[in-house]
Amino acid sequence: MGALFFISGNDDYLIKEHALKQIIVLCGEPPEANPALEIIRGDNDSESPSSVIIRLMDSISTFSLFSSKKIIWVKHFNRLEEALDEPSTKSKPSPVDRLANFLKDGIPDDTTIVWDTVGIDRRKTFFKVIQQVCN
C-alpha cells in the first residue's frame, strides 16, 4: 500500500517547513529535479478547491511516466475547509467525499502523497479517513 503524509496545524510557516523537509527526505535536493515528484499547487487562487481535489484523484489514478514510483505533493492547500463545505449527496458526492472513498480503497503501492494544509476540523469525517490512511 502507498503512503500518505498529511501535515496540518495552525502555524502556516511550520507546516510549510515540515512539508518541505518531508519532500526532501523523499526526493532529495533539489526536490523539483526528481522525476517521480508531481506538485499540485494548492495555493493557486485561480483554481477552485474542488479542482485541486479532482487533480489529486486524477494524479493518484494515473501511472508515472518518468519513474517507477510517484510522489505527489499537494502543496500549501489552505482551502480544504472550503472544499469540505461543498454540498454532497449519495447520488452526487462532492469531490472531497469521492476522495475519501478513493483513499479508503487504498493508495497504490508505488504512490506517496504529501499534503500540507492549515487547519482542519478534526470532527469531520474526512479527517477521520485521513487518520486511518496516514503513515
Side-chain angles (χ1 to χ4, degrees):
M1 182 174 207
L4 171 63
F5 297 92
F6 188 81
I7 303 161
S8 180
N10 295 323
D11 189 327
D12 190 41
Y13 177 78
L14 290 177
I15 292 166
K16 289 176 180 178
E17 285 296 309
H18 187 72
L20 180 59
K21 286 178 185 173
Q22 184 63 51
I23 287 294
I24 289 171
V25 166
L26 294 168
C27 298
E29 285 197 71
E32 294 82 5
N34 188 322
L37 179 63
E38 178 180 348
I39 299 173
I40 298 173
R41 298 292 311 216
D43 57 356
N44 184 353
D45 290 334
S46 66
E47 197 169 12
S48 73
S50 292
S51 63
V52 173
I53 299 291
I54 291 167
R55 283 186 43 220
L56 173 59
M57 287 187 293
D58 289 345
S59 180
I60 294 169
S61 61
T62 58
F63 295 103
S64 176
L65 299 175
F66 306 110
S67 178
S68 61
K69 63 180 182 174
K70 181 184 273 193
I71 301 165
I72 305 166
W73 185 7
V74 184
K75 187 175 182 179
H76 314 326
F77 185 50
N78 294 335
R79 294 170 37 197
L80 180 57
E81 284 297 326
E82 192 177 328
L84 288 167
D85 289 340
E86 290 188 22
S88 184
T89 63
K90 286 192 181 220
S91 61
K92 187 174 181 190
S94 70
V96 170
D97 286 346
R98 290 190 351 242
L99 176 61
N101 289 329
F102 194 83
L103 293 174
K104 284 179 193 175
D105 291 340
I107 299 169
D109 291 336
D110 61 344
T111 303
T112 300
I113 303 166
V114 177
W115 185 342
D116 66 276
T117 184
V118 172
I120 181 172
D121 187 344
R122 295 173 179 263
R123 298 169 294 176
K124 300 235 179 180
T125 303
F126 184 73
F127 181 76
K128 293 174 183 170
V129 169
I130 293 291
Q131 278 185 310
Q132 292 171 357
V133 175
C134 274
N135 295 61

